[in-house]
Amino acid sequence: MAGIRWPPEDSDLLQPRAPASAADLISDDDRSVAADSWSIKSEYGSTLDDEQRHVDASEVLSSGAFRASSDYSSDKEEEPDVCEEETSVLGLQSYWDATYAGDLANFHEHGHAGEVWFGVEVVESVVTWTKNLCINNSQGRTQDSAGDVTLQCESDDLGGKDLSSWSVLDVGTGNGLLLHELAKQGFSHLTGTDYSEGAIDLARNLAVRDGLTSITFLVDDILETKLDGQFRLVIDKGTFDAIGLHPDGPIRRLMYWDSLSKLVPPGGILVVTSCNNTKDELVQEVDNYNQRRQDSGPIFRYLDHIRTYPTIMFAGTEGSRVSTVAFLRD
C-alpha cells in the first residue's frame, strides 16, 4: 500500500487515466503533505535530493486520478468522539494505483524494484528486532518483572527452527521487499496483501526474480479483508499511516483494528511501524480501541518497541521519526 518511487523518466511511467480536472481536486495543502512525507522517508535511504523529491511528488499528484473527499461515504457526523486529522491524497487508493503502475513499468523497462519504504536501515532494524521478538515468544521469554518484553536472544544461530513454523502476514505489502528480508531470516510461511493490483503484480515479479516463489501475494483490502485464516505474526509498515490520511481516516482506523483482531489469533503478535505516529500514540490508539470493545475485554496489549532508532529534538521533546511497536493479541 505504501511506498516511494524511483525518480521517473517520462517514458517510464504508465499514464493513469485521470479526468481533465484531476489536478483541481488536489489542494496545495495535499501537495505539501505529500512532498513533506516524501522528504521524511528519503532520510532513511532515498536516492532523490530534496528539490527533486518535491518536484516529483507534485508532478505525480498533478497527474493522478484522485477523487474528491465528497466521493466517499462518511460516518464522521455520527462519530463526534473521534478527532479530526489532517488528510492527504496519500490516503487514497487511486494514488497508490497510479504509483505502482509507474513502479511496475519501471521494473519491466529497467528492472527497478522501487524504493524501500522508510529505507533499508529501518527495514533491517524491524526484521532483526521482530525475529528476536518471535524467538523469545516461542521460547517463553516474553516479559520481565516490569511487564516489558525481555529480548535476550541475539544470536542468529538460535531459534531458526522456531521461525519456520510462524505464519506471517504483511498488510499493505507494496513491492513485498520486507517479506524478502524476513525469508532470509528463516521465516517461511509468508503472505503479503495489498489493495493495489499493481503493487501485487510488482511484488510477484520481484519474488520470482529473487527466487522467492514460495511467498504468497494476494490482492486484499485490510479494511474489508477476505482472508479467512489467522497469522501468528502480522506486520504493518506504513499502511496504518496511509489509512489515517484518508478523508474518512478515523472511521477507517476502527475498521483496521477490527480486521486485525480477526487476523491475529490469541497469543499472536502485531508489529506496526509508523512515521506519522509516535510509540505513545500507537499505544494510545490501541488503548482507545480496547475501551470501545469493553464488552469483550482488551484485544491487543503493548508488548515492546524498538529503542534504537535515531532521535531528534523538536519543541523541547525528544523522539524518533519512525516508531515500531509490537502488540500481543489477548
Side-chain angles (χ1 to χ4, degrees):
M1 180 181 296
I4 304 176
R5 306 188 314 162
W6 284 91
E9 298 177 6
D10 292 341
S11 61
D12 294 336
L13 289 175
L14 293 179
Q15 296 298 324
R17 292 190 296 272
S21 60
D24 296 334
L25 300 180
I26 306 166
S27 69
D28 290 339
D29 287 341
D30 284 333
R31 296 175 191 275
S32 177
V33 170
D36 288 345
S37 297
W38 221 281
S39 177
I40 289 173
K41 313 304 181 299
S42 70
E43 294 186 21
Y44 292 91
S46 175
T47 57
L48 306 178
D49 58 38
D50 289 337
E51 181 177 356
Q52 181 59 44
R53 274 193 300 275
H54 286 261
V55 170
D56 191 39
S58 296
E59 289 176 351
V60 172
L61 297 183
S62 296
S63 63
F66 306 120
R67 289 178 286 174
S69 59
S70 59
D71 292 341
Y72 296 87
S73 61
S74 174
D75 298 324
K76 286 181 180 179
E77 293 79 5
E78 301 175 8
E79 293 283 338
D81 56 332
V82 293
C83 63
E84 295 290 334
E85 290 191 355
E86 189 172 29
T87 63
S88 164
V89 292
L90 294 174
L92 304 183
Q93 180 176 347
S94 52
Y95 172 83
W96 297 111
D97 285 341
T99 295
Y100 283 113
D103 283 348
L104 188 60
N106 280 331
F107 170 77
H108 288 308
E109 186 72 18
H110 304 291
H112 292 168
E115 191 141 348
V116 177
W117 185 241
F118 296 160
V120 174
E121 292 182 4
V122 168
V123 170
E124 290 176 347
S125 295
V126 170
V127 169
T128 301
W129 180 83
T130 299
K131 170 187 175 181
N132 290 331
L133 184 73
C134 293
I135 291 173
N136 277 273
N137 178 274
S138 296
Q139 298 177 352
R141 294 197 297 272
T142 56
Q143 291 189 348
D144 60 18
S145 59
D148 289 331
V149 172
T150 303
L151 297 181
Q152 301 173 359
C153 179
E154 298 294 339
S155 172
D156 289 339
D157 296 330
L158 297 177
K161 62 181 181 298
D162 297 319
L163 298 178
S164 63
S165 66
W166 283 67
S167 57
V168 181
L169 173 65
D170 179 21
V171 296
T173 193
N175 57 20
L177 295 182
L178 175 62
L179 293 176
H180 291 210
E181 297 304 314
L182 288 170
K184 295 175 184 177
Q185 294 296 326
F187 293 93
S188 56
H189 297 291
L190 300 167
T191 301
T193 62
D194 202 293
Y195 66 3
S196 172
E197 291 187 17
I200 294 302
D201 286 344
L202 177 61
R204 287 170 176 163
N205 276 279
L206 290 171
V208 170
R209 184 197 69 179
D210 294 347
L212 298 171
T213 54
S214 62
I215 301 178
T216 300
F217 290 104
L218 302 170
V219 177
D220 186 73
D221 186 346
I222 182 59
L223 303 186
E224 299 176 351
T225 181
K226 294 179 174 58
L227 298 177
D228 56 6
Q230 291 185 315
F231 301 84
R232 192 173 178 185
L233 171 65
V234 175
I235 294 183
D236 169 357
K237 183 165 63 66
T239 299
F240 182 68
D241 289 344
I243 288 171
L245 291 172
H246 188 277
D248 292 334
I251 302 301
R252 287 176 171 246
R253 292 204 316 269
L254 295 177
M255 296 170 64
Y256 169 88
W257 294 111
D258 277 337
S259 290
L260 289 176
S261 70
K262 299 178 178 68
L263 292 173
V264 183
I269 294 174
L270 168 66
V271 176
V272 180
T273 298
S274 170
C275 70
N276 288 347
N277 300 271
T278 66
K279 169 256 181 181
D280 290 340
E281 287 171 339
L282 288 173
V283 172
Q284 185 62 54
E285 178 81 18
V286 167
D287 287 345
N288 291 342
Y289 176 70
N290 286 336
Q291 290 175 13
R292 288 174 175 272
R293 296 287 301 270
Q294 285 182 345
D295 56 328
S296 56
I299 306 299
F300 294 102
R301 61 182 172 88
Y302 166 76
L303 201 55
D304 198 14
H305 71 282
I306 291 182
R307 297 169 171 81
T308 57
Y309 290 140
T311 59
I312 59 172
M313 291 293 298
F314 180 76
T317 302
E318 184 178 17
S320 300
R321 291 183 181 271
V322 177
S323 58
T324 297
V325 184
F327 300 95
L328 184 69
R329 174 70 163 88
D330 282 331

